[in-house]
């Protein structure tokens, strides 16, 4: 029995050696540095290949503190207008007239009026005067009287 096992092991080793030899022969036929086929380029312009774009991972914040909002209610509304036409608007149309910052929009003006004078405005009309100053016509809701507000502010 042991003789049969030894003979089988020798045959297996021989088969392995044959396989190894054929593999080596194929490698010799192919050569060490076989020529790779060049990629056929179909376009005359070269486009740089897309590479990995890593997401930013900053080591420190670029701004030490967030920017403070410079357009607060005191910056937006400069002063109320007290001309004759403005007074007429107060009496007839329940409307207050303010001179505002040119950069302020209607929503900002409405919020500033609400914060400063505790009144709710129905709508805001704006215009930029020829001298470059913004004028805002703030119409109040029916709940508020422009004459009372004007007295409280100190216009009248």
């Amino acid at each position: 029995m042991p003789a049969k096992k030894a003979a089988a092991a020798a045959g297996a080793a021989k088969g392995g050696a044959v396989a190894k030899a054929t593999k080596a022969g194929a490698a010799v036929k192919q050569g060490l540095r076989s020529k790779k086929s060049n990629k056929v380029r179909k376009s005359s312009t070269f486009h740089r290949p897309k590479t990995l774009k890593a997401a930013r991972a900053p080591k420190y914040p670029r701004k030490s503190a967030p920017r403070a909002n410079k357009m607060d209610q005191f910056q937006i509304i400069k002063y109320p207008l007290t001309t004759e036409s403005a007074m007429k608007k107060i009496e007839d149309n329940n409307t207050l007239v303010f001179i505002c910052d040119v950069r302020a929009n209607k929503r900002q003006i409405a919020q500033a009026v609400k914060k400063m004078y505790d009144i709710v405005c129905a709508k805001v009309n704006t215009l930029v005067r020829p001298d470059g100053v913004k004028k805002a016509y703030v119409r109040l809701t029916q709940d508020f009287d422009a004459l009372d507000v004007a007295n409280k502010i100190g216009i009248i």
Side-chain angles (χ1 to χ4, degrees):
M1 281 288 234
K4 273 188 178 178
K5 279 186 181 175
K14 211 177 200 184
V18 170
K20 220 176 192 183
T22 52
K23 192 175 177 185
V28 167
K29 278 183 191 169
Q30 194 178 12
L32 268 176
R33 292 181 180 82
S34 60
K35 191 173 187 308
K36 263 176 44 175
S37 61
N38 286 341
K39 181 183 174 186
V40 178
R41 298 192 180 274
K42 297 176 180 75
S43 173
S44 60
T45 54
F46 175 75
H47 296 291
R48 186 179 53 80
K50 302 277 189 286
T51 56
L52 177 69
K53 288 186 176 77
R56 289 184 176 194
K59 301 287 186 257
Y60 65 93
R62 296 294 181 245
K63 290 179 183 171
S64 59
R67 252 182 151 169
N69 186 16
K70 289 181 181 171
M71 291 288 280
D72 61 343
Q73 70 261 32
F74 306 107
Q75 180 72 32
I76 292 168
I77 294 176
K78 293 184 179 175
Y79 55 89
L81 209 60
T82 56
T83 58
E84 277 185 46
S85 60
M87 292 302 160
K88 192 167 175 57
K89 290 263 185 215
I90 290 171
E91 293 162 7
D92 298 344
N93 300 347
N94 201 30
T95 303
L96 295 169
V97 184
F98 294 100
I99 297 297
C100 303
D101 194 297
V102 180
R103 294 165 296 177
N105 59 34
K106 291 182 183 185
R107 282 184 214 85
Q108 288 173 331
I109 292 167
Q111 285 174 349
V113 167
K114 188 175 184 178
K115 274 186 188 174
M116 286 178 79
Y117 306 117
D118 298 320
I119 53 177
V120 180
C121 53
K123 69 173 187 171
V124 178
N125 288 338
T126 58
L127 62 90
V128 178
R129 299 192 317 193
D131 62 349
V133 177
K134 185 175 271 192
K135 191 196 297 188
Y137 296 99
V138 179
R139 179 131 192 218
L140 306 182
T141 55
Q142 298 298 318
D143 309 339
F144 299 96
D145 185 36
L147 209 55
D148 295 341
V149 175
N151 282 328
K152 192 176 93 174
I153 293 170
I155 300 172
I156 300 171

